[in-house]
Amino acid sequence: MAQPLAKPLDDRDGFIWLDGKMVPWREAKIHVLTHALHYATQVFEGERAYNGRIFKSKEHSERLIKSAGLIYLPMPYSFEVLEDAKKEVLKANKLDNAYMRAMVWRGSESLGVDFSQTKPHMMIAAWDWGRYFSPEIRDTGIALKTSKWRKPAPDTAPIHSKSSCLYNLSCIVKHESMQAGYTDGLMHDFEGYIAESTGSNFFAVKDGVLITPVADRFLNGITRQTVLQIAHDLGVKTEERRVRPEELPSFEEIFVTGSAAEVTAVGKIDSLEYKVGPVTKRLRQAYEDLVNGAAPAAKAANS
Ligand code: PMP
C-alpha cells in the first residue's frame, strides 16, 4: 500500500517550476476550466533522484516529449530547458533524494474536444517520497489481485503515451484490488495475456530465466528496460514473450518494476503464493546499487 503523505500536496513549503518560473509551492495553481482536467489532454513523468542525481533523467525527458507527440500536444519547452528545470527544482527544494513529476497539459484557453485553441503548459515538482509500497513488504512481497479490467488494445487508446487518459483505469483497478484486501492489481491485455500492474511492469522467474511480457501493448517502463539490462550484464537469461495466466503456478518468483515501485517482490497473486527468491533479491540489490551510483551492477551483485 502506498505510504500516506505527511501533508497534502497543495499545502507545502518549497518551489514548483511552472511555465518557466520557479513559483512558491502553494501558488502553483490552475483554473477549474483547464482542458486537461476535462479531457485528460495531459502527459507526465514520474522519476526519482538519488544522492542528488536524477536517475535516467534524459530517458524520462525523451519519453515525456514522445508521450506529448502521441497525443498531438506541442511541447512548450525544449528538451534542454526541461533537463535544466528538473535540476533547478531539486536545488530550489534542497532535495537529494526525491520523487519528481514533470507534466505537460492543455490549458483553459478553450473547452471542447477541439483542442486547437488551447495552449500547452509545463510544470515540474519534486518532493521527498520514500518507498511506493510500505517497507515491510520487502521481505514478504506485495499481493496482487487479477483484475477483471484489461489494458486497452493498442488501437483503442494511445497506450505508449504516459498520459493521464490511461490512468483512470489504473486508479479503478488499484481501488478494487485494495478493497479486496490486496496491495495492487494485475491486468491482462486485450488478448488475455498478462500485461502489467497499475503502475509497474511484470517480471517472473522460471528455471532461473527472467521472463517479462513483450511491451508492445503497455508502457515499456524505463525501470523494466534497466532491469533487463542489469540481468543481461549479470548473465541472467531473459525472455520477452507473451505470458499466459495459466503459467502463474509454474513461476518461482515474481516482481514488478517502476520508477516509483523500483524492484518490488510479489508474494501473492490471487490464491498463489511466492517467496522473495534469489533472482529477485539479486536484481533488486543491483538496481539499488545502480540508482545510488554504486559499483556497476555486475560487480555489485558478485560481491
Ligand atoms: N506501467 C505503468 C502503467 C506505469 O504507470 C509505470 C510507471 N510509470 C510503469 C509501467 C513503469 O514505468 P517506469 O519504469 O518508466 O517508471
Side-chain angles (χ1 to χ4, degrees), residues 44-47 60 63 99 151 162 167 170 196-201 218-225 257-261 287:
F44 70 105
E45 274 304 314
E47 43 203 302
H60 282 283
R63 187 169 69 183
Y99 179 74
K151 299 294 294 181
K162 193 165 164 57
Y167 281 85
S170 282
E196 60 170 356
S197 185
T198 59
S200 51
N201 289 120
F218 51 81
L219 198 72
N220 183 7
I222 291 168
T223 321
R224 175 187 179 278
Q225 295 170 50
T257 63
S259 301
Y287 182 78

Side-chain angles (χ1 to χ4, degrees), residues 48-52 90 94-99 127-129 292:
R48 278 187 189 268
Y50 300 87
N51 304 324
L90 282 188
K94 298 186 178 58
L95 289 166
D96 282 332
N97 295 291
Y99 179 74
W127 59 93
D128 188 4
W129 193 25
N292 283 300

Side-chain angles (χ1 to χ4, degrees), residues 17-22 77 122:
W17 189 98
L18 177 60
D19 286 335
K21 289 191 209 94
M22 204 64 82
Y77 298 93
M122 186 163 100

